[in-house]
Amino acid sequence: MADAEALLEPLIPALRRYAYALVRDHDAADDLVQDTLERALSRWTLRRSDGDLRAWLFTIQRNLHVSALRQNRRRGPHVELDEQTTPRTAATQESGAEVQDILAALDQLPEEQKSLLLLVGVEDFSYDEAARIMGVPAGTVMSRLSRGRQRLRSILETGRATLLRRIK
């Protein structure tokens, strides 16, 4: 098990980045990473020794995320009884507003396109690796990625003013 820990530990930052990009909540992202690592360790003997460990972990993480989305859809929205709101300040810099626009536009994409854009664009997976993670052919990855990029561009071009209100 010590070899598993040595192999898994350097991959945790990438798993956390991807988890945060999927759920946009640090606590939920940490939970998703913990569930991913727990699943990986419990099934360590089932992994292919010649396979890509990073791709295997990202596949586990994505599958856990999709399962959670489906479960939440069945259960309905979760509302805290004593939810406290923390005061937030709006971004004062143009780049901060642009990042918020992009994140809001990403949230409008279908889950398959969003996952692929994050895997290829942020985590720097190849098309073949992303295809293995998503469980689809490489051609499907390329077409979904193309449609996702095109839709993201159109959302940002046409919907920029509706995503965030800017006051100068």
Side-chain angles (χ1 to χ4, degrees):
M1 199 53 70
D3 64 329
E5 292 174 19
L7 292 171
L8 291 175
E9 190 172 346
L11 300 174
I12 292 174
L15 288 170
R16 290 188 76 209
R17 253 192 330 269
Y18 184 56
Y20 181 76
L22 289 173
V23 298
R24 300 270 165 47
D25 178 12
H26 288 289
D27 293 332
D30 287 342
D31 290 343
L32 182 57
V33 171
Q34 181 176 345
D35 292 343
T36 301
L37 294 173
E38 180 182 338
R39 174 82 47 100
L41 288 172
S42 69
R43 290 162 175 77
W44 189 256
T45 57
L46 300 177
R47 78 175 183 88
R48 290 181 21 200
S49 59
D50 63 337
D52 184 9
L53 178 61
R54 185 172 180 237
W56 184 62
L57 290 172
F58 274 77
T59 302
I60 291 171
Q61 188 170 49
R62 182 185 175 282
N63 289 341
L64 286 171
H65 172 67
V66 169
S67 294
L69 286 177
R70 289 178 183 149
Q71 186 178 40
N72 290 339
R73 196 174 299 136
R74 284 191 307 267
R75 288 185 178 176
H78 178 73
V79 178
E80 292 287 333
L81 293 177
D82 297 327
E83 189 172 300
Q84 294 180 355
T85 58
T86 58
R88 299 182 186 263
T89 58
T92 56
Q93 298 175 350
E94 187 70 21
S95 63
E98 289 173 357
V99 167
Q100 292 300 323
D101 283 349
I102 293 169
L103 292 176
L106 266 174
D107 286 338
Q108 293 179 21
L109 294 176
E111 196 279 326
E112 296 87 12
Q113 293 175 359
K114 177 182 172 181
S115 289
L116 278 173
L117 282 170
L118 293 171
L119 286 172
V120 173
V122 177
E123 294 301 328
D124 202 29
F125 278 103
S126 70
Y127 289 174
D128 290 331
E129 291 171 326
R132 282 195 304 269
I133 291 170
M134 300 286 288
V136 296
T140 304
V141 167
M142 290 186 274
S143 63
R144 284 184 185 170
L145 201 54
S146 175
R147 285 193 303 269
R149 287 174 176 154
Q150 184 179 16
R151 185 157 181 206
L152 187 63
R153 267 189 233 103
S154 70
I155 290 170
L156 289 173
E157 289 170 359
T158 61
R160 183 177 293 269
T162 61
L163 294 176
L164 285 178
R165 183 173 164 217
R166 295 190 184 140
I167 301 174
K168 290 190 177 196

